[in-house]
Amino acid sequence: IAHEGSHVRNTDMGCVRDSCSTPFRKNLLNILEDIRIERLSMDQYPGTEPDIRYLNRKVLLEPFRPEQVDDCPALHVIHNGILYGGYWLLQEPQLEVPAKAYLARMETLLGNDLTDKKLTREKNTLACESTTDVLGLVDAIIDLLPSQEDEQEDEQLQPEQGAEGAPQDSQQSGGGDQHQEPKQAGAGSDDQGKEEGQPESKQE
């Protein structure tokens, strides 16, 4: 109730609806807006802080299993790196273990420099004064990520690589999946829907 009540008070739902056409964009907006409105709730109604921290422990910390990080598709690694990393850096010290696990995996996918740039952007979340500001921050983060076109170009340039640098359409698990999923990192892309036989790629 403390969390959702802060959305009612502080979130521009029209802005959220505007982001719905791209699911990955909407998901990142939801993550950063959650962090912003939870902090606002703690500031506006200090008595809600222990409830919100309890919520985050139950929803984010207790379900976490370290083995899930290595099995997680690349797109989910980026999502969870932003989720856990943002919460940990901005307001939830209790999430240090899962945050560091996902950020370490993100570094293997994106490199240290790009991961640091993403975190630098994300640290500005609490300086945002509105949901619109948060959406602008989300777009800045998405602009840092490799595009689908970049991944396809890399695939064309390096078609003969082995498992360590497998082409994007490799269906192998393990080391290969780190290179497989960024092709789908343009969340909600039609390619993902076609590959999985889904007629409604946006819904997927």
Side-chain angles (χ1 to χ4, degrees):
I1 292 172
H3 175 99
E4 298 303 338
S6 191
H7 273 308
V8 172
R9 291 191 303 273
N10 300 301
T11 295
D12 179 350
M13 297 302 177
C15 182
V16 174
R17 285 191 295 271
D18 290 343
S19 72
C20 288
S21 60
T22 307
F24 186 64
R25 185 177 184 231
K26 180 189 176 185
N27 288 345
L28 295 195
L29 173 61
N30 188 59
I31 290 170
L32 299 190
E33 181 71 352
D34 279 354
I35 294 172
R36 186 181 80 92
I37 62 94
E38 286 186 1
R39 171 55 60 188
L40 285 172
S41 182
M42 294 175 190
D43 293 343
Q44 294 164 344
Y45 297 93
T48 65
E49 180 171 349
D51 294 330
I52 288 174
R53 295 201 185 281
Y54 175 84
L55 172 70
N56 290 333
R57 185 167 70 252
K58 286 294 182 182
V59 173
L60 297 176
L61 181 60
E62 292 184 6
F64 172 73
R65 298 291 178 268
E67 61 271 15
Q68 295 172 341
V69 178
D70 289 334
D71 296 333
C72 199
L75 182 61
H76 295 183
V77 171
I78 294 172
H79 176 280
N80 290 343
I82 292 172
L83 171 66
Y84 284 100
Y87 263 102
W88 169 53
L89 290 169
L90 295 173
Q91 72 181 37
E92 283 290 1
Q94 63 180 329
L95 296 178
E96 179 179 6
V97 170
K100 285 185 173 180
Y102 277 112
L103 290 175
R105 175 83 193 280
M106 184 184 291
E107 287 181 354
T108 68
L109 293 171
L110 302 178
N112 293 344
D113 185 56
L114 186 52
T115 299
D116 287 344
K117 287 180 179 178
K118 180 204 69 64
L119 289 175
T120 298
R121 294 278 202 284
E122 195 169 359
K123 287 177 182 177
N124 293 322
T125 299
L126 297 183
C128 293
E129 297 183 355
S130 67
T131 310
T132 301
D133 289 348
V134 177
L135 185 57
L137 191 58
V138 165
D139 289 338
I141 291 172
I142 290 175
D143 286 344
L144 291 173
L145 299 175
S147 67
Q148 184 177 0
E149 289 75 15
D150 291 338
E151 296 297 333
Q152 289 174 338
E153 183 175 331
D154 289 344
E155 180 181 350
Q156 292 171 359
L157 292 174
Q158 301 175 350
E160 300 298 331
Q161 291 182 350
E164 191 70 23
Q168 306 305 320
D169 58 356
S170 170
Q171 297 300 317
Q172 296 177 350
S173 60
D177 71 354
Q178 294 180 0
H179 302 274
Q180 167 192 345
E181 289 294 327
K183 180 178 180 181
Q184 302 174 0
S189 67
D190 289 338
D191 285 347
Q192 182 176 0
K194 292 175 183 176
E195 289 173 1
E196 298 179 0
Q198 297 291 339
E200 297 292 340
S201 59
K202 288 185 179 180
Q203 181 178 1
E204 177 64 27

